[in-house]
């Protein structure tokens, strides 16, 4: 059996102290370029690999972030997971991804597992926290940030788009384009994003003396969205909406397919469609979807900054709630009468 290469052996070959070797392989530690080059050259020659787990036991930090995602059907989340992972890696952290459905028992079970990994922090994307798990995270000194979700709890940090204003801007656009029969296709009603987008949308309609002609729920799922779109549109022409705001792009693209291929209707001549997220397929010529853009890069930047600040300071009690402005991107699925 080959002898295990140690940091002491690397230090001898590099002509530096063992502490210097440790600093070279500790993210964020101060070390000169010359020393780092000597140590990495010696490590390469000897085949040395630092023991991250052992270092974590000594330092009390695993440099691991737990990332919980409820589902990846929506293009927004795979993109966000990649951006979050890259951003944390640049700051010397690694990400463990856990999948959890939007049920309290499943989320609590996953959260228990994450805490067992001794993570330094947790990011929850598209899921919420129970009061019991919130309490346990606090007791363990593990900071938590909600990504693209918020909760009615001032003690939980969150980063979201300004969903209310985004929904309001959609209503203003459809009213400006002279739509009379406006419908809404909702996502999962337990999500703060769904709640806030619909609230902003409906409030502006009410201010203009209008109300929804119809409403259906797609739960952010493809099959349910197909059924919801048919429920809204497979009706006699006099009752059919002439515009639909869909709670996210994933559902909006499905709705467009139903309109074109199941009902043989035209967009936007028969029905205008607006989504929310601005995922990559929204700009594809096949869809060319008018939508509200979530600024994923800014959301990721804020999330990483918040959680690492909490990890690095002893006072983790302060919470931060950030709402990032989301511009509307007008494309071909709306009438655009001012052009």
């Amino acid at each position: 059996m080959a002898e295990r290469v140690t940091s002491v052996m690397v230090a001898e070959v590099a002509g530096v102290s063992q502490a210097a070797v440790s600093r070279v392989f500790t993210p964020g530690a101060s070390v000169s370029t010359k020393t780092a080059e000597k140590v990495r050259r010696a490590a390469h020659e000897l085949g040395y690999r630092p023991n991250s787990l052992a270092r974590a036991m000594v330092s009390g930090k695993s440099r691991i972030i737990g990332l919980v995602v409820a589902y990846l059907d929506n293009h927004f989340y795979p993109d966000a997971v990649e951006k979050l992972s890259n951003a944390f890696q640049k700051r010397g952290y690694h990400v463990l991804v856990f999948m959890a459905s939007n049920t309290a028992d499943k989320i609590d079970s996953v959260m228990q597992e994450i805490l067992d990994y001794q993570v330094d922090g947790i990011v929850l994307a598209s899921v919420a926290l129970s009061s019991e798990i919130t309490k346990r995270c606090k007791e363990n000194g593990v900071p938590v940030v909600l990504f693209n979700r918020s909760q009615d709890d001032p003690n939980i940090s969150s980063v979201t788009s300004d969903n209310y204003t985004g929904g309001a801007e959609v209503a203003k656009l459809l009213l400006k384009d002279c739509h009379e029969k406006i419908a809404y296709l909702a996502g999962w009603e337990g999500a703060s994003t769904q709640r806030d987008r619909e609230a902003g949308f409906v409030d502006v309609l009410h201010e203009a003396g209008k109300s929804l002609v119809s409403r259906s729920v797609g739960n952010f799922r493809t099959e349910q969205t197909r059924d919801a779109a048919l429920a809204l549109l497979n009706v006699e022409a006099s009752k059919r909406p002439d515009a639909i705001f869909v709670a996210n792009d994933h559902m909006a693209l499905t709705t467009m397919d139903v309109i074109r291929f199941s009902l043989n209707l035209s967009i936007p001549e028969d029905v205008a469609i607006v989504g929310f997220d601005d995922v990559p397929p929204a700009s594809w010529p096949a869809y060319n979807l008018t939508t509200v853009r979530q600024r994923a890069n800014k959301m990721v930047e804020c999330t990483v900054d918040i959680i690492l600040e909490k990890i690095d300071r002893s006072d983790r009690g302060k919470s931060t709630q950030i709402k990032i402005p989301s511009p509307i991107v007008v494309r071909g699925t709306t009438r655009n009468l001012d052009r």
Side-chain angles (χ1 to χ4, degrees):
M1 183 175 179
E3 181 182 8
R4 182 174 176 272
V5 180
T6 67
S7 59
V8 173
M9 297 164 66
V10 174
E12 289 176 353
V13 172
V16 300
S17 67
Q18 184 182 8
V21 175
S22 177
R23 288 197 300 274
V24 169
F25 292 105
T26 299
S30 177
V31 62
S32 71
T33 302
K34 184 178 180 180
T35 298
E37 288 176 351
K38 290 195 296 183
V39 168
R40 292 190 184 281
R41 185 164 52 248
H44 178 73
E45 291 173 1
L46 296 171
Y48 170 75
R49 298 188 67 182
N51 189 327
S52 298
L53 293 177
R55 188 166 62 241
M57 291 178 66
V58 173
S59 66
K61 288 187 176 182
S62 66
R63 303 197 76 84
I64 294 173
I65 303 296
L67 172 59
V68 186
V69 184
Y71 69 117
L72 295 173
D73 295 352
N74 181 358
H75 286 80
F76 177 77
Y77 286 109
D79 184 52
V81 168
E82 180 181 359
K83 285 179 165 59
L84 283 164
S85 296
N86 290 337
F88 278 119
Q89 286 177 19
K90 287 180 180 178
R91 304 283 286 270
Y93 285 80
H94 296 281
V95 172
L96 283 179
V97 179
F98 296 79
M99 299 300 298
S101 62
N102 273 312
T103 58
D105 58 339
K106 180 63 175 177
I107 293 170
D108 284 4
S109 174
V110 169
M111 289 295 289
Q112 300 274 9
E113 183 180 353
I114 291 175
L115 290 172
D116 290 341
Y117 275 88
Q118 303 296 309
V119 298
D120 290 340
I122 299 172
V123 175
L124 294 169
S126 72
V127 295
L129 277 174
S130 70
S131 57
E132 179 59 34
I133 289 298
T134 301
K135 179 182 176 183
R136 188 175 173 199
C137 289
K138 188 173 182 179
E139 290 173 347
N140 283 268
V142 178
V144 177
V145 177
L146 302 183
F147 179 86
N148 201 35
R149 284 291 186 274
S150 62
Q151 285 184 220
D152 297 326
D153 185 339
N155 298 312
I156 299 178
S157 294
S158 61
V159 176
T160 68
S161 294
D162 189 343
N163 291 293
Y164 181 91
T165 301
E169 290 302 313
V170 173
K172 292 176 184 177
L173 174 67
L174 295 180
L175 290 171
K176 177 176 66 64
D177 285 347
C178 301
H179 289 283
E180 294 294 333
K181 296 180 290 182
I182 300 174
Y184 180 69
L185 204 163
W188 177 55
E189 295 184 286
S192 63
T193 49
Q194 145 59 34
R195 176 197 66 203
D196 295 344
R197 291 169 192 176
E198 182 173 10
F201 184 65
V202 170
D203 284 352
V204 169
L205 292 182
H206 287 171
E207 289 170 5
K210 295 185 178 295
S211 58
L212 294 176
V213 67
S214 52
R215 180 185 188 274
S216 192
V217 180
N219 274 322
F220 296 139
R221 299 292 182 180
T222 300
E223 289 302 322
Q224 293 179 55
T225 299
R226 287 196 185 102
D227 292 341
L230 287 170
L232 291 175
L233 294 161
N234 197 19
V235 296
E236 60 183 88
S238 62
K239 296 180 180 179
R240 188 173 64 222
D242 59 13
I244 305 174
F245 174 32
V246 189
N248 75 0
D249 285 355
H250 174 61
M251 295 196 303
L253 301 179
T254 299
T255 300
M256 290 180 67
D257 287 342
V258 169
I259 292 170
R260 290 167 168 171
F261 303 114
S262 297
L263 301 175
N264 294 316
L265 298 173
S266 297
I267 303 171
E269 292 80 9
D270 294 318
V271 188
I273 299 292
V274 182
F276 203 113
D277 282 341
D278 198 24
V279 299
S283 65
W284 294 354
Y287 291 104
N288 198 27
L289 175 67
T290 294
T291 185
V292 179
R293 174 174 294 158
Q294 293 219 76
R295 297 167 61 196
N297 288 333
K298 185 65 176 178
M299 293 171 70
V300 166
E301 177 187 331
C302 291
T303 300
V304 173
D305 285 346
I306 290 171
I307 204 161
L308 294 190
E309 182 181 352
K310 286 178 174 292
I311 290 171
D312 291 340
R313 70 173 190 239
S314 57
D315 178 16
R316 299 177 179 175
K318 183 180 179 182
S319 61
T320 305
Q321 290 82 35
I322 295 178
K323 294 181 180 180
I324 298 172
S326 300
I328 192 164
V329 182
V330 179
R331 296 195 180 101
T333 58
T334 46
R335 292 174 178 171
N336 311 325
L337 297 182
D338 61 345
R339 294 197 304 185

